[in-house]
PDB file of all heavy atoms in Angstrom:
ATOM      1  N   PRO A  16      18.962   9.114  -1.964  1.00 80.00           N
ATOM      2  CA  PRO A  16      17.697   9.861  -1.908  1.00 80.00           C
ATOM      3  C   PRO A  16      16.548   9.169  -2.632  1.00 80.00           C
ATOM      4  O   PRO A  16      15.380   9.511  -2.422  1.00 80.00           O
ATOM      5  CB  PRO A  16      18.043  11.203  -2.580  1.00 80.00           C
ATOM      6  CG  PRO A  16      19.238  10.913  -3.435  1.00 80.00           C
ATOM      7  CD  PRO A  16      20.007   9.843  -2.711  1.00 80.00           C
ATOM      8  N   ASN A  17      16.859   8.181  -3.483  1.00 87.00           N
ATOM      9  CA  ASN A  17      15.810   7.474  -4.227  1.00 87.00           C
ATOM     10  C   ASN A  17      15.323   6.211  -3.528  1.00 87.00           C
ATOM     11  O   ASN A  17      14.428   5.531  -4.041  1.00 87.00           O
ATOM     12  CB  ASN A  17      16.329   7.097  -5.621  1.00 87.00           C
ATOM     13  CG  ASN A  17      16.710   8.322  -6.442  1.00 87.00           C
ATOM     14  OD1 ASN A  17      15.971   9.302  -6.474  1.00 87.00           O
ATOM     15  ND2 ASN A  17      17.863   8.265  -7.086  1.00 87.00           N
ATOM     16  N   PHE A  18      15.905   5.885  -2.371  1.00 91.00           N
ATOM     17  CA  PHE A  18      15.606   4.598  -1.738  1.00 91.00           C
ATOM     18  C   PHE A  18      14.130   4.483  -1.333  1.00 91.00           C
ATOM     19  O   PHE A  18      13.491   3.456  -1.583  1.00 91.00           O
ATOM     20  CB  PHE A  18      16.495   4.383  -0.522  1.00 91.00           C
ATOM     21  CG  PHE A  18      16.282   3.050   0.146  1.00 91.00           C
ATOM     22  CD1 PHE A  18      16.801   1.890  -0.410  1.00 91.00           C
ATOM     23  CD2 PHE A  18      15.542   2.947   1.313  1.00 91.00           C
ATOM     24  CE1 PHE A  18      16.593   0.657   0.183  1.00 91.00           C
ATOM     25  CE2 PHE A  18      15.329   1.717   1.913  1.00 91.00           C
ATOM     26  CZ  PHE A  18      15.860   0.578   1.352  1.00 91.00           C
ATOM     27  N   VAL A  19      13.576   5.516  -0.727  1.00 93.00           N
ATOM     28  CA  VAL A  19      12.185   5.455  -0.253  1.00 93.00           C
ATOM     29  C   VAL A  19      11.233   5.291  -1.439  1.00 93.00           C
ATOM     30  O   VAL A  19      10.299   4.470  -1.389  1.00 93.00           O
ATOM     31  CB  VAL A  19      11.841   6.716   0.563  1.00 93.00           C
ATOM     32  CG1 VAL A  19      10.355   6.722   0.933  1.00 93.00           C
ATOM     33  CG2 VAL A  19      12.686   6.772   1.833  1.00 93.00           C
ATOM     34  N   ASP A  20      11.477   6.044  -2.498  1.00 93.00           N
ATOM     35  CA  ASP A  20      10.629   5.912  -3.688  1.00 93.00           C
ATOM     36  C   ASP A  20      10.740   4.510  -4.293  1.00 93.00           C
ATOM     37  O   ASP A  20       9.746   3.950  -4.781  1.00 93.00           O
ATOM     38  CB  ASP A  20      11.034   6.952  -4.737  1.00 93.00           C
ATOM     39  CG  ASP A  20      10.663   8.366  -4.324  1.00 93.00           C
ATOM     40  OD1 ASP A  20       9.789   8.520  -3.450  1.00 93.00           O
ATOM     41  OD2 ASP A  20      11.262   9.315  -4.862  1.00 93.00           O
ATOM     42  N   GLN A  21      11.948   3.932  -4.251  1.00 94.00           N
ATOM     43  CA  GLN A  21      12.133   2.594  -4.806  1.00 94.00           C
ATOM     44  C   GLN A  21      11.395   1.550  -3.977  1.00 94.00           C
ATOM     45  O   GLN A  21      10.832   0.581  -4.524  1.00 94.00           O
ATOM     46  CB  GLN A  21      13.614   2.250  -4.887  1.00 94.00           C
ATOM     47  CG  GLN A  21      13.922   0.983  -5.660  1.00 94.00           C
ATOM     48  CD  GLN A  21      13.504   1.049  -7.115  1.00 94.00           C
ATOM     49  OE1 GLN A  21      14.071   1.799  -7.894  1.00 94.00           O
ATOM     50  NE2 GLN A  21      12.492   0.271  -7.478  1.00 94.00           N
ATOM     51  N   LEU A  22      11.396   1.720  -2.662  1.00 95.00           N
ATOM     52  CA  LEU A  22      10.617   0.830  -1.790  1.00 95.00           C
ATOM     53  C   LEU A  22       9.141   0.844  -2.197  1.00 95.00           C
ATOM     54  O   LEU A  22       8.512  -0.206  -2.356  1.00 95.00           O
ATOM     55  CB  LEU A  22      10.744   1.285  -0.337  1.00 95.00           C
ATOM     56  CG  LEU A  22      11.800   0.656   0.567  1.00 95.00           C
ATOM     57  CD1 LEU A  22      11.759   1.319   1.938  1.00 95.00           C
ATOM     58  CD2 LEU A  22      11.595  -0.839   0.716  1.00 95.00           C
ATOM     59  N   ALA A  23       8.601   2.048  -2.344  1.00 96.00           N
ATOM     60  CA  ALA A  23       7.191   2.184  -2.707  1.00 96.00           C
ATOM     61  C   ALA A  23       6.927   1.587  -4.089  1.00 96.00           C
ATOM     62  O   ALA A  23       5.874   0.967  -4.322  1.00 96.00           O
ATOM     63  CB  ALA A  23       6.792   3.660  -2.674  1.00 96.00           C
ATOM     64  N   GLU A  24       7.879   1.753  -5.015  1.00 97.00           N
ATOM     65  CA  GLU A  24       7.710   1.215  -6.362  1.00 97.00           C
ATOM     66  C   GLU A  24       7.706  -0.309  -6.360  1.00 97.00           C
ATOM     67  O   GLU A  24       6.878  -0.945  -7.036  1.00 97.00           O
ATOM     68  CB  GLU A  24       8.824   1.748  -7.267  1.00 97.00           C
ATOM     69  CG  GLU A  24       8.746   1.278  -8.709  1.00 97.00           C
ATOM     70  CD  GLU A  24       7.530   1.795  -9.467  1.00 97.00           C
ATOM     71  OE1 GLU A  24       6.794   2.650  -8.919  1.00 97.00           O
ATOM     72  OE2 GLU A  24       7.305   1.339 -10.599  1.00 97.00           O
ATOM     73  N   PHE A  25       8.607  -0.925  -5.606  1.00 97.00           N
ATOM     74  CA  PHE A  25       8.616  -2.388  -5.505  1.00 97.00           C
ATOM     75  C   PHE A  25       7.298  -2.896  -4.907  1.00 97.00           C
ATOM     76  O   PHE A  25       6.760  -3.926  -5.341  1.00 97.00           O
ATOM     77  CB  PHE A  25       9.795  -2.862  -4.659  1.00 97.00           C
ATOM     78  CG  PHE A  25      11.130  -2.826  -5.361  1.00 97.00           C
ATOM     79  CD1 PHE A  25      12.307  -2.637  -4.648  1.00 97.00           C
ATOM     80  CD2 PHE A  25      11.221  -2.998  -6.733  1.00 97.00           C
ATOM     81  CE1 PHE A  25      13.542  -2.603  -5.289  1.00 97.00           C
ATOM     82  CE2 PHE A  25      12.444  -2.971  -7.390  1.00 97.00           C
ATOM     83  CZ  PHE A  25      13.609  -2.768  -6.665  1.00 97.00           C
ATOM     84  N   ALA A  26       6.801  -2.179  -3.903  1.00 97.00           N
ATOM     85  CA  ALA A  26       5.528  -2.585  -3.283  1.00 97.00           C
ATOM     86  C   ALA A  26       4.390  -2.524  -4.297  1.00 97.00           C
ATOM     87  O   ALA A  26       3.510  -3.398  -4.309  1.00 97.00           O
ATOM     88  CB  ALA A  26       5.225  -1.678  -2.093  1.00 97.00           C
ATOM     89  N   ARG A  27       4.401  -1.500  -5.173  1.00 97.00           N
ATOM     90  CA  ARG A  27       3.357  -1.364  -6.188  1.00 97.00           C
ATOM     91  C   ARG A  27       3.474  -2.470  -7.240  1.00 97.00           C
ATOM     92  O   ARG A  27       2.478  -3.115  -7.593  1.00 97.00           O
ATOM     93  CB  ARG A  27       3.468   0.010  -6.850  1.00 97.00           C
ATOM     94  CG  ARG A  27       2.371   0.293  -7.880  1.00 97.00           C
ATOM     95  CD  ARG A  27       2.671   1.537  -8.687  1.00 97.00           C
ATOM     96  NE  ARG A  27       3.847   1.384  -9.525  1.00 97.00           N
ATOM     97  CZ  ARG A  27       3.856   0.731 -10.686  1.00 97.00           C
ATOM     98  NH1 ARG A  27       2.746   0.143 -11.142  1.00 97.00           N
ATOM     99  NH2 ARG A  27       4.972   0.634 -11.387  1.00 97.00           N
ATOM    100  N   ILE A  28       4.702  -2.700  -7.727  1.00 97.00           N
ATOM    101  CA  ILE A  28       4.908  -3.693  -8.791  1.00 97.00           C
ATOM    102  C   ILE A  28       4.523  -5.092  -8.328  1.00 97.00           C
ATOM    103  O   ILE A  28       3.845  -5.842  -9.058  1.00 97.00           O
ATOM    104  CB  ILE A  28       6.382  -3.675  -9.247  1.00 97.00           C
ATOM    105  CG1 ILE A  28       6.713  -2.363  -9.955  1.00 97.00           C
ATOM    106  CG2 ILE A  28       6.677  -4.866 -10.171  1.00 97.00           C
ATOM    107  CD1 ILE A  28       8.191  -2.188 -10.254  1.00 97.00           C
ATOM    108  N   TYR A  29       4.922  -5.455  -7.111  1.00 97.00           N
ATOM    109  CA  TYR A  29       4.722  -6.834  -6.646  1.00 97.00           C
ATOM    110  C   TYR A  29       3.502  -6.979  -5.733  1.00 97.00           C
ATOM    111  O   TYR A  29       3.245  -8.071  -5.218  1.00 97.00           O
ATOM    112  CB  TYR A  29       5.990  -7.329  -5.939  1.00 97.00           C
ATOM    113  CG  TYR A  29       7.167  -7.414  -6.893  1.00 97.00           C
ATOM    114  CD1 TYR A  29       8.171  -6.444  -6.878  1.00 97.00           C
ATOM    115  CD2 TYR A  29       7.241  -8.418  -7.848  1.00 97.00           C
ATOM    116  CE1 TYR A  29       9.232  -6.498  -7.770  1.00 97.00           C
ATOM    117  CE2 TYR A  29       8.296  -8.481  -8.752  1.00 97.00           C
ATOM    118  CZ  TYR A  29       9.285  -7.515  -8.706  1.00 97.00           C
ATOM    119  OH  TYR A  29      10.329  -7.571  -9.603  1.00 97.00           O
ATOM    120  N   GLU A  30       2.769  -5.871  -5.536  1.00 96.00           N
ATOM    121  CA  GLU A  30       1.536  -5.883  -4.742  1.00 96.00           C
ATOM    122  C   GLU A  30       1.775  -6.474  -3.352  1.00 96.00           C
ATOM    123  O   GLU A  30       1.074  -7.379  -2.894  1.00 96.00           O
ATOM    124  CB  GLU A  30       0.441  -6.674  -5.487  1.00 96.00           C
ATOM    125  CG  GLU A  30       0.117  -6.087  -6.854  1.00 96.00           C
ATOM    126  CD  GLU A  30      -0.924  -6.929  -7.592  1.00 96.00           C
ATOM    127  OE1 GLU A  30      -0.887  -8.177  -7.447  1.00 96.00           O
ATOM    128  OE2 GLU A  30      -1.763  -6.360  -8.304  1.00 96.00           O
ATOM    129  N   VAL A  31       2.797  -5.933  -2.687  1.00 97.00           N
ATOM    130  CA  VAL A  31       3.171  -6.396  -1.351  1.00 97.00           C
ATOM    131  C   VAL A  31       2.855  -5.312  -0.333  1.00 97.00           C
ATOM    132  O   VAL A  31       3.199  -4.137  -0.533  1.00 97.00           O
ATOM    133  CB  VAL A  31       4.676  -6.747  -1.297  1.00 97.00           C
ATOM    134  CG1 VAL A  31       5.125  -7.013   0.140  1.00 97.00           C
ATOM    135  CG2 VAL A  31       4.963  -7.965  -2.174  1.00 97.00           C
ATOM    136  N   ASP A  32       2.180  -5.687   0.727  1.00 96.00           N
ATOM    137  CA  ASP A  32       1.919  -4.773   1.839  1.00 96.00           C
ATOM    138  C   ASP A  32       3.254  -4.456   2.521  1.00 96.00           C
ATOM    139  O   ASP A  32       3.950  -5.367   2.980  1.00 96.00           O
ATOM    140  CB  ASP A  32       0.962  -5.445   2.821  1.00 96.00           C
ATOM    141  CG  ASP A  32       0.529  -4.514   3.954  1.00 96.00           C
ATOM    142  OD1 ASP A  32       1.197  -3.477   4.175  1.00 96.00           O
ATOM    143  OD2 ASP A  32      -0.467  -4.843   4.629  1.00 96.00           O
ATOM    144  N   LEU A  33       3.610  -3.174   2.572  1.00 97.00           N
ATOM    145  CA  LEU A  33       4.916  -2.800   3.134  1.00 97.00           C
ATOM    146  C   LEU A  33       5.044  -3.126   4.619  1.00 97.00           C
ATOM    147  O   LEU A  33       6.144  -3.122   5.163  1.00 97.00           O
ATOM    148  CB  LEU A  33       5.175  -1.311   2.886  1.00 97.00           C
ATOM    149  CG  LEU A  33       5.631  -0.984   1.454  1.00 97.00           C
ATOM    150  CD1 LEU A  33       5.618   0.508   1.205  1.00 97.00           C
ATOM    151  CD2 LEU A  33       7.014  -1.555   1.198  1.00 97.00           C
ATOM    152  N   ARG A  34       3.925  -3.432   5.260  1.00 96.00           N
ATOM    153  CA  ARG A  34       4.018  -3.884   6.656  1.00 96.00           C
ATOM    154  C   ARG A  34       4.624  -5.281   6.753  1.00 96.00           C
ATOM    155  O   ARG A  34       4.971  -5.734   7.842  1.00 96.00           O
ATOM    156  CB  ARG A  34       2.629  -3.859   7.306  1.00 96.00           C
ATOM    157  CG  ARG A  34       2.091  -2.450   7.549  1.00 96.00           C
ATOM    158  CD  ARG A  34       0.665  -2.471   8.050  1.00 96.00           C
ATOM    159  NE  ARG A  34      -0.248  -3.046   7.057  1.00 96.00           N
ATOM    160  CZ  ARG A  34      -1.566  -3.180   7.247  1.00 96.00           C
ATOM    161  NH1 ARG A  34      -2.112  -2.785   8.393  1.00 96.00           N
ATOM    162  NH2 ARG A  34      -2.330  -3.698   6.302  1.00 96.00           N
ATOM    163  N   ARG A  35       4.756  -5.945   5.598  1.00 96.00           N
ATOM    164  CA  ARG A  35       5.395  -7.267   5.551  1.00 96.00           C
ATOM    165  C   ARG A  35       6.903  -7.176   5.322  1.00 96.00           C
ATOM    166  O   ARG A  35       7.562  -8.212   5.184  1.00 96.00           O
ATOM    167  CB  ARG A  35       4.773  -8.109   4.425  1.00 96.00           C
ATOM    168  CG  ARG A  35       3.282  -8.357   4.570  1.00 96.00           C
ATOM    169  CD  ARG A  35       2.997  -9.300   5.706  1.00 96.00           C
ATOM    170  NE  ARG A  35       1.567  -9.526   5.875  1.00 96.00           N
ATOM    171  CZ  ARG A  35       1.029 -10.175   6.905  1.00 96.00           C
ATOM    172  NH1 ARG A  35       1.836 -10.660   7.832  1.00 96.00           N
ATOM    173  NH2 ARG A  35      -0.266 -10.337   7.005  1.00 96.00           N
ATOM    174  N   ILE A  36       7.439  -5.963   5.271  1.00 97.00           N
ATOM    175  CA  ILE A  36       8.862  -5.768   5.003  1.00 97.00           C
ATOM    176  C   ILE A  36       9.530  -5.081   6.195  1.00 97.00           C
ATOM    177  O   ILE A  36       8.982  -4.135   6.764  1.00 97.00           O
ATOM    178  CB  ILE A  36       9.080  -4.916   3.734  1.00 97.00           C
ATOM    179  CG1 ILE A  36       8.427  -5.579   2.519  1.00 97.00           C
ATOM    180  CG2 ILE A  36      10.566  -4.666   3.491  1.00 97.00           C
ATOM    181  CD1 ILE A  36       9.033  -6.922   2.125  1.00 97.00           C
ATOM    182  N   GLU A  37      10.709  -5.578   6.544  1.00 97.00           N
ATOM    183  CA  GLU A  37      11.509  -4.959   7.606  1.00 97.00           C
ATOM    184  C   GLU A  37      12.909  -4.688   7.062  1.00 97.00           C
ATOM    185  O   GLU A  37      13.501  -5.539   6.393  1.00 97.00           O
ATOM    186  CB  GLU A  37      11.598  -5.873   8.828  1.00 97.00           C
ATOM    187  CG  GLU A  37      12.395  -5.281   9.985  1.00 97.00           C
ATOM    188  CD  GLU A  37      12.329  -6.159  11.224  1.00 97.00           C
ATOM    189  OE1 GLU A  37      12.870  -7.283  11.185  1.00 97.00           O
ATOM    190  OE2 GLU A  37      11.716  -5.723  12.230  1.00 97.00           O
ATOM    191  N   ILE A  38      13.413  -3.494   7.328  1.00 96.00           N
ATOM    192  CA  ILE A  38      14.758  -3.107   6.923  1.00 96.00           C
ATOM    193  C   ILE A  38      15.688  -3.242   8.126  1.00 96.00           C
ATOM    194  O   ILE A  38      15.391  -2.740   9.210  1.00 96.00           O
ATOM    195  CB  ILE A  38      14.778  -1.655   6.402  1.00 96.00           C
ATOM    196  CG1 ILE A  38      13.929  -1.525   5.138  1.00 96.00           C
ATOM    197  CG2 ILE A  38      16.208  -1.189   6.160  1.00 96.00           C
ATOM    198  CD1 ILE A  38      14.441  -2.320   3.968  1.00 96.00           C
ATOM    199  N   GLU A  39      16.819  -3.933   7.942  1.00 93.00           N
ATOM    200  CA  GLU A  39      17.800  -4.081   9.014  1.00 93.00           C
ATOM    201  C   GLU A  39      19.033  -3.244   8.695  1.00 93.00           C
ATOM    202  O   GLU A  39      19.556  -3.289   7.583  1.00 93.00           O
ATOM    203  CB  GLU A  39      18.211  -5.548   9.176  1.00 93.00           C
ATOM    204  CG  GLU A  39      17.091  -6.454   9.636  1.00 93.00           C
ATOM    205  CD  GLU A  39      17.581  -7.863   9.946  1.00 93.00           C
ATOM    206  OE1 GLU A  39      18.814  -8.068   9.970  1.00 93.00           O
ATOM    207  OE2 GLU A  39      16.731  -8.748  10.154  1.00 93.00           O
ATOM    208  N   LEU A  40      19.495  -2.473   9.677  1.00 88.00           N
ATOM    209  CA  LEU A  40      20.742  -1.743   9.528  1.00 88.00           C
ATOM    210  C   LEU A  40      21.620  -2.008  10.736  1.00 88.00           C
ATOM    211  O   LEU A  40      21.131  -2.369  11.813  1.00 88.00           O
ATOM    212  CB  LEU A  40      20.511  -0.241   9.365  1.00 88.00           C
ATOM    213  CG  LEU A  40      19.846   0.518  10.509  1.00 88.00           C
ATOM    214  CD1 LEU A  40      20.305   1.977  10.486  1.00 88.00           C
ATOM    215  CD2 LEU A  40      18.325   0.486  10.363  1.00 88.00           C
ATOM    216  N   THR A  41      22.920  -1.848  10.563  1.00 79.00           N
ATOM    217  CA  THR A  41      23.856  -2.148  11.643  1.00 79.00           C
ATOM    218  C   THR A  41      24.012  -0.949  12.570  1.00 79.00           C
ATOM    219  O   THR A  41      23.716   0.188  12.204  1.00 79.00           O
ATOM    220  CB  THR A  41      25.230  -2.535  11.078  1.00 79.00           C
ATOM    221  OG1 THR A  41      25.692  -1.500  10.211  1.00 79.00           O
ATOM    222  CG2 THR A  41      25.138  -3.845  10.302  1.00 79.00           C
ATOM    223  N   GLU A  42      24.522  -1.232  13.771  1.00 73.00           N
ATOM    224  CA  GLU A  42      24.668  -0.186  14.776  1.00 73.00           C
ATOM    225  C   GLU A  42      25.614   0.922  14.348  1.00 73.00           C
ATOM    226  O   GLU A  42      25.419   2.073  14.707  1.00 73.00           O
ATOM    227  CB  GLU A  42      25.193  -0.799  16.084  1.00 73.00           C
ATOM    228  CG  GLU A  42      24.101  -1.242  17.007  1.00 73.00           C
ATOM    229  CD  GLU A  42      24.653  -1.539  18.384  1.00 73.00           C
ATOM    230  OE1 GLU A  42      25.722  -2.153  18.489  1.00 73.00           O
ATOM    231  OE2 GLU A  42      24.003  -1.143  19.353  1.00 73.00           O
ATOM    232  N   ASP A  43      26.656   0.592  13.599  1.00 65.00           N
ATOM    233  CA  ASP A  43      27.607   1.628  13.225  1.00 65.00           C
ATOM    234  C   ASP A  43      26.950   2.684  12.347  1.00 65.00           C
ATOM    235  O   ASP A  43      27.293   3.866  12.415  1.00 65.00           O
ATOM    236  CB  ASP A  43      28.828   1.024  12.520  1.00 65.00           C
ATOM    237  CG  ASP A  43      28.462   0.237  11.290  1.00 65.00           C
ATOM    238  OD1 ASP A  43      27.393  -0.396  11.291  1.00 65.00           O
ATOM    239  OD2 ASP A  43      29.241   0.242  10.326  1.00 65.00           O
ATOM    240  N   VAL A  44      25.960   2.273  11.533  1.00 66.00           N
ATOM    241  CA  VAL A  44      25.225   3.239  10.715  1.00 66.00           C
ATOM    242  C   VAL A  44      24.320   4.086  11.596  1.00 66.00           C
ATOM    243  O   VAL A  44      24.269   5.311  11.481  1.00 66.00           O
ATOM    244  CB  VAL A  44      24.403   2.525   9.632  1.00 66.00           C
ATOM    245  CG1 VAL A  44      23.541   3.518   8.862  1.00 66.00           C
ATOM    246  CG2 VAL A  44      25.315   1.776   8.683  1.00 66.00           C
ATOM    247  N   ALA A  45      23.609   3.436  12.508  1.00 65.00           N
ATOM    248  CA  ALA A  45      22.725   4.172  13.413  1.00 65.00           C
ATOM    249  C   ALA A  45      23.508   5.136  14.295  1.00 65.00           C
ATOM    250  O   ALA A  45      23.038   6.216  14.634  1.00 65.00           O
ATOM    251  CB  ALA A  45      21.937   3.190  14.282  1.00 65.00           C
ATOM    252  N   LEU A  46      24.731   4.726  14.656  1.00 61.00           N
ATOM    253  CA  LEU A  46      25.562   5.526  15.549  1.00 61.00           C
ATOM    254  C   LEU A  46      25.913   6.872  14.935  1.00 61.00           C
ATOM    255  O   LEU A  46      26.097   7.860  15.646  1.00 61.00           O
ATOM    256  CB  LEU A  46      26.842   4.762  15.891  1.00 61.00           C
ATOM    257  CG  LEU A  46      27.790   5.378  16.926  1.00 61.00           C
ATOM    258  CD1 LEU A  46      27.117   5.464  18.280  1.00 61.00           C
ATOM    259  CD2 LEU A  46      29.070   4.564  17.011  1.00 61.00           C
TER     260      LEU A  46
END
């Protein structure tokens, strides 16, 4: 449940536009 907040926190700390980040997950998780 903390993953989304952590993403936003990393973006703030390192001043990275989140449009420059892509998350990859495997099909078994999506399934």
Side-chain angles (χ1 to χ4, degrees):
N17 299 315
F18 182 76
V19 174
D20 290 340
Q21 190 62 68
L22 265 178
E24 181 66 7
F25 283 151
R27 183 191 66 79
I28 292 172
Y29 295 103
E30 301 177 324
V31 171
D32 185 343
L33 282 169
R34 290 174 297 180
R35 300 290 179 189
I36 302 295
E37 181 174 67
I38 296 296
E39 295 187 9
L40 62 152
T41 55
E42 269 193 318
D43 58 326
V44 175
L46 186 64

